Amino acid sequence: MTERYVLDLQEVDETQVAVVGGKGAHLGGLSRIEGIRVPGGFCVTTDAFRRIMAEAPSLDDRLDQLARLNPDDREAIRTLSAQIRRTIEGVAIPGDLAAAITRALAQLGEQAAYAVRSSATAEDLPTASFAGQQDTYLNVVGPAAILEHVSRCWASVFTERAVAYRQRNGIDHRTVHMAVVVQQMVFPHAAGILFTADPVTGNRKVATVDAGFGLGEALVSGLVNPDVFKVRHGEVVAKAIAAKQRAVHALPAGGTQEVAIDSWRQEQPALTDAQVVRLVQLGRRIEAHFGRPQDIEWCLIDDGFQIVQSRPITTLFPIPETGDQENHVYVSVGHGQMMTDPMKPLGLSMWQLTAMVPMHTAGGRLFVDVTQRLASPASRAGLLDVMGRGDPLIRDALETVLERDDFVPSLPDAGPGGPPAGGASATIETDPAIVTELIERSQASIAALERDIRTKTGPALFDFLLEAFEEHKQVLSDPPSMQAIMAGMEATWWLNDTLQEWLGEKNTADTLTLSAPDNVTSEMGLALLDVADVIRPHSEVVAFLQGVEDEDFLDELAKLTGGTEARDAIEAYLDRYGMRCVGEIDITRPRWRERPTTLVPVILDNVRNFEPGAAERRFEQGRQKAQKKEQDVLSRLRALPDGDRKADEAKRMIDRVRTFIGYREYPKYGIVSRYFVYKQALLEEAERLVQTNVLPEKEDIFYLTFQELHGVVRSNQVDGRLIQQRKDAFRSYHALTPPRVLTSDGEAVTGAYRRDDVPAGSLIGLPVSAGTIEGRARVILDMAEADLEAGDILVTTFTDPSWSPLFVAVAGLVTEVGGLMTHGAVIAREYGLPAVVGVEQATRLIRDGQRIRVHGTDGYVEILP
């Protein structure tokens, strides 16, 4: 096949990214849409770029050097990428290639002005925009200047920012090729950007137009503030006209210059409302063509719009698919489950199959549709109450949506409301034997599952699992279990509300629940202190653990003095807690039993930071503190009018909360224990698929849903392309922040605390564990990288039960996600750690090592000088 070095824009479309890069492919696609005008031009293809790269043999060594550099070594990246750019710009363009470019120019008009624009094969993809990574040159005149700027565009594959971006995202430099778009310049009255969805809220029904005078460069470079128009259903619903003091204009001989705008024009809108509406109609046509919201660069010439670029908006959170045109309101499952990372398809489908309510997926996350419950006044109040107690931001977001009269329809009260929240718990006795029996029943159910699954393989395993999921749901919805959980939570709420009213004291239950019995999650943190006690006396074992990297380190331990005891202690811990891990609601995440190295840094922190016997002491101190608090509360109540009745009522509730609050953590432990049994069986099945060459590797099953995997096991055939697409999509979901509340218009509704009782500059959150603590913030996003000193305050995005071993080592807790009854809050109270959760962007606003003060009683964090 002969190389084609030049293609007219009219000849290309979006399928040819590999030939003309993302920008060229999009422009070609745009030029084919009826009614859309695109300035004429051509693409210098990636064949030309490869030819130029081949002409410079010294590049190979330099690319090898570049690949070996640390992404954080900015100086080395700067020096080496500059050398590579100089080398590429120094390559003489071969005669036949130069002739192909100048021929194309002659057809369009040699002395016209052109924009010469980089178009890399890895930009403007649905999953990565790479915006601004490479260069664009405006108003280039004459063949010699155009050839020189084409060379510069080729070299711009290696701008420092593009190289750093690829290094950080694990993209091989050799896989990115550069095409160049040469396009007739337009000299617009006005130019700007059109987003066919609101880039801030995500609302797909609202388009946003940014407009300024002259070339769009003034807006893109931040030289001026644009006029901003918002359009919904074909009308301008909001606008802000800026004082536009400067514009960028083209010079006749080539290049551009900044010019001042006459004072009388500065506050004139760059577009009329009618023009804005017409532009948005064009944008909707472009969006329909590409099948997703677009970020579009436009120019206005003699009252007609020309489109000079369109790329997907990659930052929008996807909308769950429903197949209808109705309005829907979705609540994030991840915020309640303390897991806002994306989940792999097997993880999503397994959670859906074992959950108590239908769940929808979007952006690798799970959502519950609450539209029906919001529509009926009876169920609405209960839903808002439960959501508000868990996470006030979710409640506020739902109320924000309800305030828009037209979004959620109002149903008569007969709507499917279900029983009011917590109504089921009145019948249960305050009897510790109930909890003991519930735990024994759960353990027996898991033991039976482990026994029965052993003999199942192939399609029979999947039939067995579908039955096991039904039992899983029965265990979850078991009335005594639900009643025990609600009894503990309601007693907590009663104590906090009533004692604040009677004694004027906030969050008293936080102290009254310290070291409550039967809390499997807090026991897990203390048990790791006991493991550290076994290891501490053996210096050889401690030294060995400091260098551990391989997962089979437990086998090596036995060769060391004290190693057998150390191994047995870790093994016993893994037998009881090895099914846990960060993000454990996603079955595909590696469990501690599968990756025991995760626990090593935490064990070593415990060895360093604690004395022997710390676990028992911690538990006993908490128990005594709670007891002392109980005596104090009861004696103060007795001194009040009608004091004996109040004290008796409080005593009954204190006994009730201590009986049931620990069990709150048990059902999740049961779920995760069952999950690990399912996972091991499915991985054995995957192993068989690998051995029979159906799958390249075991972990590929994680990118199939449970139902798809069932199909693969039945047919012994798999669609490799589907797995690759899912891997790419999963990678892209990491860049998305899941909203607490999402509407079917795509609007992410954040909610606000609406409080005015906190000092200026503080970070507001939800108070979940009383007390005030000051200390060094440790911003930790991965538990395996913990390196804690006594007195540190843990700052992270979310904490599920697997984080509780870290809680014993810290003095306070701040998280971005969480509610009053989520695991991190429960365990923080158990251990007596002041904690504030639901602090928006805490891990970005608080820097690692900064001193902070956590106000766990009042729900805010101060960053100290």
Side-chain angles (χ1 to χ4, degrees):
M1 181 186 120
T2 58
E3 275 85 2
R4 289 202 63 188
Y5 294 134
V6 172
L7 290 173
D8 191 274
L9 273 181
Q10 301 281 342
E11 292 180 78
V12 300
D13 63 21
E14 341 30 326
T15 62
Q16 289 162 280
V17 172
V19 183
V20 295
K23 191 174 292 158
H26 263 79
L27 282 167
L30 277 168
S31 63
R32 292 165 171 238
I33 304 171
E34 198 180 330
I36 303 296
R37 289 163 59 201
V38 175
F42 59 88
C43 301
V44 182
T45 66
T46 51
D47 283 341
F49 174 75
R50 275 189 284 268
R51 169 109 179 251
I52 292 295
M53 294 293 276
E55 300 270 332
S58 66
L59 280 177
D60 249 11
D61 290 346
R62 288 187 169 151
L63 287 177
D64 287 340
Q65 274 176 276
L66 195 58
R68 288 196 294 271
L69 290 181
N70 181 328
D72 296 326
D73 190 347
R74 299 289 294 274
E75 198 47 52
I77 288 176
R78 184 176 301 132
T79 308
L80 191 52
S81 53
Q83 286 172 2
I84 294 171
R85 284 199 306 280
R86 277 198 300 278
T87 305
I88 294 171
E89 286 180 31
V91 173
I93 299 179
D96 57 335
L97 172 48
I101 295 171
T102 47
R103 256 200 317 278
L105 274 174
Q107 285 175 346
L108 285 169
E110 250 181 34
Q111 287 313 308
Y114 290 88
V116 181
R117 314 171 73 187
S118 308
S119 179
T121 52
E123 73 179 350
D124 292 351
L125 305 177
T127 53
S129 84
F130 286 74
Q133 296 290 311
Q134 283 93 22
D135 293 344
T136 285
Y137 301 98
L138 298 177
N139 205 33
V140 183
V141 178
I146 283 171
L147 288 173
E148 180 194 327
H149 285 87
V150 167
S151 273
R152 285 192 194 172
C153 283
W154 287 328
S156 77
V157 172
F158 296 97
T159 61
E160 186 192 339
R161 63 183 181 270
V163 168
Y165 185 92
R166 289 197 294 270
Q167 304 263 91
R168 272 199 308 278
N169 288 282
I171 296 165
D172 179 350
H173 301 298
R174 283 187 168 84
T175 61
V176 178
H177 298 124
M178 180 62 82
V180 182
V181 176
V182 178
Q183 203 176 8
Q184 284 175 324
M185 271 294 287
V186 288
F187 302 104
H189 310 304
I193 298 162
L194 155 64
F195 296 97
T196 64
D198 189 317
V200 178
T201 68
N203 194 325
R204 310 302 200 265
K205 299 265 176 78
V206 175
T208 302
V209 175
D210 290 3
F213 295 121
L215 291 167
E217 204 52 23
L219 266 55
V220 177
S221 63
L223 180 65
V224 296
N225 288 329
D227 296 338
V228 181
F229 302 84
K230 290 195 184 294
V231 176
R232 188 186 174 105
H233 300 317
E235 62 176 309
V236 175
V237 291
K239 59 181 163 183
I241 306 304
K244 299 167 288 296
Q245 291 164 350
R246 309 191 73 68
V248 173
H249 283 181
L251 293 168
T256 60
Q257 82 175 123
E258 279 180 39
V259 295
I261 292 175
D262 295 340
S263 56
W264 64 270
R265 273 189 75 207
Q266 288 179 9
E267 310 239 354
Q268 295 282 317
L271 295 178
T272 66
D273 284 10
Q275 286 171 328
V276 170
V277 169
R278 194 159 84 244
L279 175 62
V280 170
Q281 284 167 347
L282 295 176
R284 292 280 175 232
R285 202 175 287 180
I286 294 168
E287 177 182 67
H289 174 83
F290 289 118
R292 57 196 306 150
Q294 297 287 304
D295 157 356
I296 297 165
E297 290 179 30
W298 56 269
C299 296
L300 177 68
I301 298 119
D302 304 328
D303 204 37
F305 286 103
Q306 296 215 18
I307 305 299
V308 291
Q309 188 164 342
S310 183
R311 61 167 80 92
I313 308 176
T314 55
T315 53
L316 297 176
F317 200 86
I319 307 169
E321 287 176 22
T322 54
D324 64 31
Q325 297 301 306
E326 305 296 313
N327 287 348
H328 294 270
V329 182
Y330 302 98
V331 169
S332 160
V333 173
H335 284 80
Q337 290 295 338
M338 298 297 91
M339 161 61 180
T340 52
D341 290 348
M343 293 165 71
K344 295 188 179 118
L346 185 65
L348 291 166
S349 67
M350 293 284 277
W351 194 261
Q352 284 174 301
L353 286 165
T354 51
M356 302 307 300
V357 292
M359 290 184 178
H360 303 264
T361 64
R365 276 75 166 193
L366 290 163
F367 293 87
V368 173
D369 186 344
V370 295
T371 322
Q372 287 287 99
R373 292 177 67 187
L374 283 177
S376 157
S379 54
R380 182 186 308 150
L383 177 74
L384 290 174
D385 184 49
V386 169
M387 292 288 169
R389 285 189 184 277
D391 183 339
L393 290 177
I394 291 181
R395 178 181 180 135
D396 188 76
L398 290 174
E399 286 175 335
T400 303
V401 175
L402 284 168
E403 280 163 17
R404 298 171 193 159
D405 296 338
D406 55 344
F407 196 79
V408 177
S410 214
L411 292 177
D413 261 352
S425 59
T427 54
I428 196 167
E429 300 282 317
T430 301
D431 179 1
I434 293 172
V435 172
T436 310
E437 192 195 330
L438 284 169
I439 290 172
E440 283 169 0
R441 281 219 318 254
S442 172
Q443 285 171 338
S445 164
I446 292 161
L449 173 68
E450 284 175 326
R451 185 187 64 236
D452 297 343
I453 205 169
R454 279 188 199 127
T455 57
K456 306 291 187 285
T457 60
L461 169 66
F462 287 81
D463 297 337
F464 172 82
L465 281 171
L466 288 169
E467 285 176 32
F469 297 163
E470 289 313 306
E471 186 187 343
H472 182 124
K473 290 201 265 196
Q474 277 170 352
V475 169
L476 274 183
S477 60
D478 179 33
S481 177
M482 301 292 283
Q483 288 170 339
I485 293 169
M486 287 311 300
M489 284 164 55
E490 287 178 340
T492 307
W493 298 335
W494 187 94
L495 285 164
N496 279 339
D497 295 349
T498 312
L499 295 178
Q500 183 161 2
E501 189 189 325
W502 289 347
L503 298 174
E505 194 174 310
K506 282 183 183 175
N507 302 6
T508 320
D510 294 3
T511 312
L512 293 168
T513 52
L514 289 171
S515 300
D518 298 313
N519 187 322
V520 68
T521 311
S522 62
E523 287 165 8
M524 177 167 81
L526 297 174
L528 208 57
L529 288 175
D530 292 336
V531 173
D533 286 355
V534 175
I535 289 168
R536 195 178 288 104
H538 305 294
S539 55
E540 211 182 326
V541 173
V542 173
F544 169 76
L545 289 176
Q546 279 161 346
V548 155
E549 283 177 10
D550 295 331
E551 297 304 339
D552 55 5
F553 71 92
L554 290 169
D555 301 335
E556 300 294 307
L557 269 177
K559 300 171 189 169
L560 309 173
T561 311
T564 309
E565 296 94 309
R567 185 193 62 195
D568 291 350
I570 295 172
E571 283 285 359
Y573 186 84
L574 290 172
D575 286 344
R576 181 140 165 75
Y577 304 111
M579 77 297 285
R580 308 222 85 150
C581 67
V582 171
E584 61 193 9
I585 72 168
D586 181 353
I587 199 169
T588 72
R589 297 285 277 258
R591 311 283 134 177
W592 291 343
R593 171 53 84 191
E594 296 170 303
R595 201 176 282 176
T597 52
T598 310
L599 292 172
V600 171
V602 193
I603 293 170
L604 289 170
D605 279 352
N606 287 349
V607 166
R608 193 176 69 243
N609 293 334
F610 292 94
E611 298 294 317
E616 204 176 330
R617 273 198 308 283
R618 284 288 290 268
F619 190 79
E620 189 47 36
Q621 282 164 357
R623 208 179 58 74
Q624 287 181 9
K625 231 173 164 177
Q627 222 171 355
K628 200 164 152 242
K629 185 69 177 173
E630 179 181 328
Q631 289 161 356
D632 167 56
V633 163
L634 296 178
S635 68
R636 282 161 65 202
L637 286 173
R638 286 198 185 94
L640 297 175
D642 199 13
D644 287 348
R645 179 188 63 79
K646 286 177 177 162
D648 289 349
E649 228 173 304
K651 171 66 176 151
R652 198 162 68 249
M653 282 300 181
I654 292 168
D655 290 349
R656 195 164 174 78
V657 84
R658 288 195 70 80
T659 299
F660 291 116
I661 201 67
Y663 179 71
R664 158 81 181 81
E665 291 292 298
Y666 200 86
K668 182 81 169 271
Y669 175 77
I671 290 172
V672 175
S673 300
R674 293 178 76 91
Y675 257 36
F676 195 34
V677 180
Y678 305 152
K679 181 179 191 178
Q680 287 167 306
L682 289 172
L683 282 174
E684 280 174 31
E685 208 52 50
E687 185 59 54
R688 275 190 284 280
L689 291 169
V690 170
Q691 282 166 2
T692 52
N693 295 321
V694 177
L695 278 181
E697 48 192 64
K698 274 199 312 191
E699 270 79 29
D700 283 352
I701 68 165
F702 296 162
Y703 296 94
L704 298 170
T705 65
F706 180 82
Q707 298 85 339
E708 288 165 347
L709 180 54
H710 191 178
V712 170
V713 168
R714 274 202 303 262
S715 66
N716 279 319
Q717 288 182 311
V718 72
D719 180 350
R721 277 187 328 236
L722 175 70
I723 288 177
Q724 192 50 53
Q725 281 167 0
R726 295 269 176 83
K727 286 179 177 177
D728 294 343
F730 177 70
R731 230 187 345 264
S732 75
Y733 295 152
H734 282 277
L736 300 173
T737 303
R740 282 178 165 81
V741 170
L742 179 67
T743 73
S744 46
D745 286 353
E747 185 179 2
V749 193
T750 16
Y753 284 109
R754 308 191 193 280
R755 288 173 51 190
D756 50 13
D757 59 342
V758 297
S762 305
L763 309 180
I764 303 177
L766 182 63
V768 294
S769 185
T772 302
I773 191 77
E774 201 173 293
R776 176 179 73 152
R778 290 310 319 274
V779 180
I780 297 176
L781 301 179
D782 178 353
M783 187 175 146
E785 287 164 20
D787 177 15
L788 296 163
E789 300 290 341
D792 282 349
I793 296 169
L794 173 62
V795 180
T796 188
T797 40
F798 59 80
T799 59
D800 58 12
S802 70
W803 285 75
S804 64
L806 290 190
F807 283 23
V808 299
V810 297
L813 172 71
V814 179
T815 67
E816 295 182 348
V817 174
L820 204 55
M821 283 298 167
T822 45
H823 302 274
V826 172
I827 305 308
R829 289 194 289 274
E830 279 278 313
Y831 289 166
L833 300 179
V836 180
V837 301
V839 179
E840 288 279 274
Q841 299 195 338
T843 58
R844 286 177 218 158
L845 298 172
I846 299 170
R847 285 198 314 279
D848 188 50
Q850 268 185 326
R851 287 195 69 74
I852 60 172
R853 189 181 296 130
V854 177
H855 294 263
T857 311
D858 294 311
Y860 64 94
V861 179
E862 287 179 281
I863 298 174
L864 302 174

